[in-house]
Every structure is written in structure tokens, then in C-alpha cells.
């Protein structure tokens, strides 16, 4: 049966897709807040004799959180054909809100650790889903900028968590900070259910062609084609994962994983240990804590700069440069500089550090086809989460031996390794294409960045 011609569509601009970007921004804001709440209230929890938290168990609980994030990141992208991306986002937000409530109610470290693990499941699943959504809805040639704008919310959420820890915890106790972590279920979930559209590609994969076209037309997107839609069912999820190792992506995929590992080692290593490392270097306690706020503020600025720059020069190139600059900043922080200079170095290091990792996600968008995007981002973020586990553990091991200063060297090495990995991605794609030149041509994939 012939379908009626499409009605006039709005242009595909930031204005037309703003509701999607804004809702994903809100979801990731709460993600960043929940991730950072634990660190913001840990001193108060250690002082609570009724809880029984010790420094060693605090580190173990942190590992359980990131382990939950690893599982969530690896599974969420491959479950979207069951619930759709919108309901998976809602499920992720609900999970980490429930986890926060469990933490607020916990009378011992066992239940508290369970709450952080549940939170991790939701936190790990949310990020790749939001990245896939904004990349699908992003205006042409604005994927990197859109990704950078999205990730500013993570750092805004982290700064909000620090503010809650500094203001609410001393006055009302650490449990009330975790009760604040229930707000996403009350604020974001109703908005996501009522205002966030479903992915046109996912709708098409589920056989809902008319609904897929209607969403695409409403937001000015090209109507999805069969190749752009992720296949449904377990077979489809397996095919999406296998697609990550098709000839063009066979070598690029592990390089993206390595770059993500290095990036998240830096992000979580710095977020966890920067105050203690700076204090060990001779700075006062208040200054050492404030460095964490400064580096997150630099992260917001850096994401805005990186997004625009990467849209012009390509996310691969910008990510590599940013990794190298992060390494340089880490080496500078080994020296005990004056307080004002140190603040400046911390701020500019934040500009490079966080957006280097985010541009890895934008680079992944140039490697994977639309039907592979959710699975590809899920695996890039999921494998990267192992860096989130290793970073705090490794720096903690160094700190336990009185070698906090070596942490800066570790960060510098991670930055250099991340730069090498990401810069090799286009070369790996070209090598894959050359190796498969005798095969039938594949459907066109995004151009190299």
C-alpha cells in the first residue's frame, strides 16, 4: 500500500531537537550528581560510628558501584529493542534513585553497598543511552558539539553533589544527601515519560514504520531506513555486537576500548584522589578540596570548547590533542607551585581531561553505523568502566605506600596511551577497508573524523 507523502518538516536544527537534548541533559545531570554524592559525604560517613564504614570498606563499596556501572553499560544498549530507549532511560533513572534511597535507609555497610551497586546498574546504563539518543537527534555535522553539551550536565551534577555535601551533610546528616538522590525519580521520570520521544530507528526495528516516520518528521530528522534500525530480538542484539567487529571496525573497536579505558581511569582517578594527592603535596585541606570544584568547572568549559572544535577538525584529532595536554597538566601538578598558579593549572587540566574522554564517544559515532550505535557506545563505555575501577584502586595502592606523587605520573602515562590509541582509529578503519576490498561493498558508514 502506498504511503501518503510526508508533510512539510521543520529544519533539522538545535531548536527543533531541543526537547530531546534538554531531557537527556537533565538525566545526565542527575547521573553526575549521584556518581559524586558518595565522595562528597564520605568524610561524614566515616565519622558515623553506627554505620561501621572504614577507609578500606569505603574503597570496596566504590568498586561495587563501578562494577554495577560496568554491567549496566554493557547490557543497556542491547536491551533497547525490548523496552525502547525511552523506557530504558526511565528504568535507569529509577534504578539509581532506588539505590540512593537504599543508601539513605541503610543501617550497615552491607545494605549500603547493595544500594550503591543498584545505583551503579542504573548509572552505567544511562550514559550510553543518552549518548545514542542525542547523536541520533543531533543536527548534521554537530554530533561532537551535541555530545559536549550533553556532558556538561555530568559536571554540573558533580558540582551540585559537592554543594550538597558541603551544605546539607554537616547540618542534617549524610543520609539527607542520599535522600536528595531520590529526586531524579520524582523530577526526571515524569518528564521523560511524557516529553521524550522514542528513537525512530528503534521504532522502525519494532515494525512501527508510521510512528518512526512521524517522530522523524516532527523533529526534522531523515526518515530511518532498514539499515539504520537496530534489529530486534536476541539475534538482533548479537548481530549488533558482531557488527562492532565487521572489517571496517575490527581493529578500531579495541582501540576505542583502550582510549575509553585510559580516559575513565583519568576521570575517576582524578575525581577520587585529587584532593588527597594535593594535600600530600603540601596544600591545605580546604584548598585541596576546592581543587575538585575547580577541575569540574574547567571540565564544563572544556566540553563546550571541544564540541565546537571537534565539529570542525574531527573528534579523533581533538581527543588525541586533549589527552596529550592532560598528560602535560598532570606532570605540572607534580611540582609544588604557588597556590594561584596551581589553581590555574588545575582549571586548564580540567578543560582537557574530561572532554578528551567525551570525544572518544564522539569518535565512536564515526566508526559505527546507526544500527550499531547503541551497542557500540555501550561497549565503549562499558569497557572504559574497567578504567574507572582500576584508576582509584591503582592510585590508592600508591597512596597506601606513601607514593601519592607517582599518581601524577600515572595520569600522564594514561593520557599519552589514550592519545596513541585514539589517533590510530582512522588508520585502523582504513586498514580494515583495504583488507576487505575483495568483498562486496558494505553499506556506507560515517566518514572518518
Amino acid at each position: 500500500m502506498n504511503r501518503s507523502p510526508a508533510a512539510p518538516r521543520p529544519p533539522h536544527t538545535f531548536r527543533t531537537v531541543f526537547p530531546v537534548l534538554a531531557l537527556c541533559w537533565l538525566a545526565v545531570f542527575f547521573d553526575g550528581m549521584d556518581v559524586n554524592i558518595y565522595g562528597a559525604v564520605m568524610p561524614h560517613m566515616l565519622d558515623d560510628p553506627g554505620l561501621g564504614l572504614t577507609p578500606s570498606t569505603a574503597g570496596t563499596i566504590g568498586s561495587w558501584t563501578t562494577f554495577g556501572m560496568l554491567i549496566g553499560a554493557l547490557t543497556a544498549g542491547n536491551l533497547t529493542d525490548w523496552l525502547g530507549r525511552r523506557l530504558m532511560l526511565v528504568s535507569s533513572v529509577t534504578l539509581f534513585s532506588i539505590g540512593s534511597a537504599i543508601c539513605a535507609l541503610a543501617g550497615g555497610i552491607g545494605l549500603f553497598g547493595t544500594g550503591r551497586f543498584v545505583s551503579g546498574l542504573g548509572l552505567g546504563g544511562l550514559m550510553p543511552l543518552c549518548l545514542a539518543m542525542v547523536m541520533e537527534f543531533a543536527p548534521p555535522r554537530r554530533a561532537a558539539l551535541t555530545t559536549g553539551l550533553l556532558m556538561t550536565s555530568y559536571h554540573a551534577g558533580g558540582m551540585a553533589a559537592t554543594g550538597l555535601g558541603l551544605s546539607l551533610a554537616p547540618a542534617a546528616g549524610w543520609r539527607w544527601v542520599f535522600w536528595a538522590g531520590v529526586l531524579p525519580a520524582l523530577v526526571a521520570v515524569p518528564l521523560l515519560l511524557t516529553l521524550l520521544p522514542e528513537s525512530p530507528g528503534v521504532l522502525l526495528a519494532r515494525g512501527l514504520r508510521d510512528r518512526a516516520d512521524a517522530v522523524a518528521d516532527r523533529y526534522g530528522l531523515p526518515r530511518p531506513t532498514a539499515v539504520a534500525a537496530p534489529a530486534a530480538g536476541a539475534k538482533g542484539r548479537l548481530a549488533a555486537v558482531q557488527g562492532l567487529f565487521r572489517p571496517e571496525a575490527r581493529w578500531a573497536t579495541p582501540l576505542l576500548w583502550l582510549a575509553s579505558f585510559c580516559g575513565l581511569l583519568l576521570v575517576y582517578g582524578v575525581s577520587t584522589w585529587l584532593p588527597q594527592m594535593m594535600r600530600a603535596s603540601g596544600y591545605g585541606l580546604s584548598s585541596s578540596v576546592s581543587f575538585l570544584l575547580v577541575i569540574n568547572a574547567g571540565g564544563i568549559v572544556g566540553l563546550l570548547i571541544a564540541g565546537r572544535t571537534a565539529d570542525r577538525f574531527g573528534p579523533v584529532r581533538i581527543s588525541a590533542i586533549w589527552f596529550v595536554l592532560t598528560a602535560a597538566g598532570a606532570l605540572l601538578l607534580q611540582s609544588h607551585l604557588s597556590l594561584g598558579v596551581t589553581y590555574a593549572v588545575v582549571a586548564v587540566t580540567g578543560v582537557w581531561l574530561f572532554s578528551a574522554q567525551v570525544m572518544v564517544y564522539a569518535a565512536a559515532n564515526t566508526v559505527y553505523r546507526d544500527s550499531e550505535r547503541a551497542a557500540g557506545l555501550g561497549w565503549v563505555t562499558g569497557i572504559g568502566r574497567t578504567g574507572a575501577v582500576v584508576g582509584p584502586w591503582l592510585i590508592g595502592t600508591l597512596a597506601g605506600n606513601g607514593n601519592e606523587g607517582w599518581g601524577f605520573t600515572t595520569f600522564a602515562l594514561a593520557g599519552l596511551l589514550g592519545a596513541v590509541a585514539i589517533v590510530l582509529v582512522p588508520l585502523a578503519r582504513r586498514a580494515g577497508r583495504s583488507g576487505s576490498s575483495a568483498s562486496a561493498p558494505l553499506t556506507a558508514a560515517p566518514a572518518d573524523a
Side-chain angles (χ1 to χ4, degrees):
M1 182 174 63
N2 291 331
R3 290 187 289 124
S4 58
R9 296 186 301 161
H12 189 186
T13 64
F14 275 114
R15 177 177 295 181
T16 58
V17 300
F18 177 78
V20 176
L21 305 183
L23 288 167
C24 288
W25 194 98
L26 178 65
V28 176
F29 171 87
F30 284 125
D31 180 301
M33 189 177 82
D34 198 284
V35 167
N36 288 275
I37 275 179
Y38 182 42
V41 300
M42 189 184 296
H44 301 279
M45 295 174 64
L46 290 169
D47 292 339
D48 183 351
L51 184 64
L53 188 70
T54 65
S56 60
T57 55
T60 301
I61 288 172
S63 297
W64 273 101
T65 307
T66 51
F67 182 63
M69 295 170 73
L70 172 62
I71 295 174
L74 291 177
T75 57
N78 294 315
L79 296 177
T80 53
D81 59 294
W82 286 0
L83 297 175
R85 284 182 187 159
R86 182 179 64 173
L87 287 183
M88 279 301 300
L89 278 174
V90 169
S91 299
S92 296
V93 173
T94 303
L95 266 178
F96 68 71
S97 296
I98 291 173
S100 192
I102 294 172
C103 290
L105 293 168
I109 59 174
L111 185 58
F112 183 85
T114 300
R116 289 310 291 167
F117 176 75
V118 172
S119 291
L121 292 174
L123 294 167
L126 184 139
M127 188 65 74
L129 289 168
C130 282
L131 286 166
M133 283 290 286
V134 299
M135 287 181 181
E136 181 177 10
F137 281 79
R141 297 178 298 278
R142 289 294 181 267
L145 175 59
T146 306
T147 303
L149 289 171
L150 173 70
M151 293 305 295
T152 61
S153 60
Y154 179 89
H155 299 291
M159 296 176 74
T162 305
L164 287 171
L166 290 172
S167 59
L168 189 58
W174 62 266
R175 295 181 187 275
W176 280 101
V177 181
F178 282 100
W179 280 122
V182 182
L183 285 175
L186 304 177
V187 176
V189 165
L191 292 174
L192 292 170
L193 283 172
T194 56
L195 300 177
L196 185 69
E198 183 53 271
S199 155
V202 170
L203 289 171
L204 180 60
R206 298 165 73 181
L208 303 174
R209 160 62 74 178
D210 289 340
R211 285 183 58 188
D213 288 348
V215 173
D217 292 346
R218 179 181 176 186
Y219 292 93
L221 277 63
R223 289 186 169 185
T225 60
V227 71
K235 184 177 180 180
R237 293 192 298 278
L238 179 60
V241 175
Q242 290 174 335
L244 308 185
F245 295 94
R246 58 187 167 83
E248 280 188 73
R250 182 177 298 147
W251 301 112
T253 289
L255 287 169
L256 287 169
W257 290 355
L258 178 58
S260 183
F261 173 90
C262 293
L264 286 176
L265 184 153
L266 285 164
V267 168
Y268 283 85
V270 168
S271 298
T272 303
W273 284 101
L274 180 64
Q276 179 58 31
M277 290 168 64
M278 299 304 288
R279 192 178 185 190
S281 296
Y283 297 94
L285 177 60
S286 59
S287 297
S288 297
V289 173
S290 65
F291 287 137
L292 199 55
L293 288 173
V294 171
I295 203 166
N296 272 288
I300 293 176
V301 175
L303 288 166
L304 297 174
I305 295 172
R308 286 188 171 274
T309 309
D311 278 332
R312 181 174 180 182
F313 299 105
V316 167
R317 187 176 292 113
I318 297 306
S319 181
I321 294 172
W322 265 223
F323 268 124
V324 171
L325 291 172
T326 298
L331 290 175
L332 279 175
L333 290 175
Q334 279 188 313
S335 306
H336 189 89
L337 307 170
S338 66
L339 186 60
V341 174
T342 302
Y343 272 122
V345 173
V346 169
V348 296
T349 301
V351 170
W352 317 129
L353 187 154
F354 298 106
S355 48
Q357 166 62 22
V358 173
M359 290 303 106
V360 174
Y361 301 146
N365 192 49
T366 70
V367 174
Y368 302 123
R369 299 174 294 194
D370 290 346
S371 59
E372 302 157 356
R373 182 180 290 124
L377 287 170
W379 279 88
V380 169
T381 56
I383 297 299
R385 293 295 180 192
T386 61
V389 176
V390 170
W393 167 81
L394 180 58
I395 305 304
T397 300
L398 292 172
N401 294 323
N403 295 317
E404 288 96 337
W406 281 96
F408 294 112
T409 302
T410 302
F411 293 148
L413 292 173
L416 293 175
L417 182 58
V420 172
I422 197 67
V423 83
L424 290 175
V425 167
L427 298 176
R429 291 192 65 206
R430 287 194 287 271
R433 281 198 296 263
S434 299
S436 62
S437 58
S439 304
L442 293 170
T443 302
D448 285 327

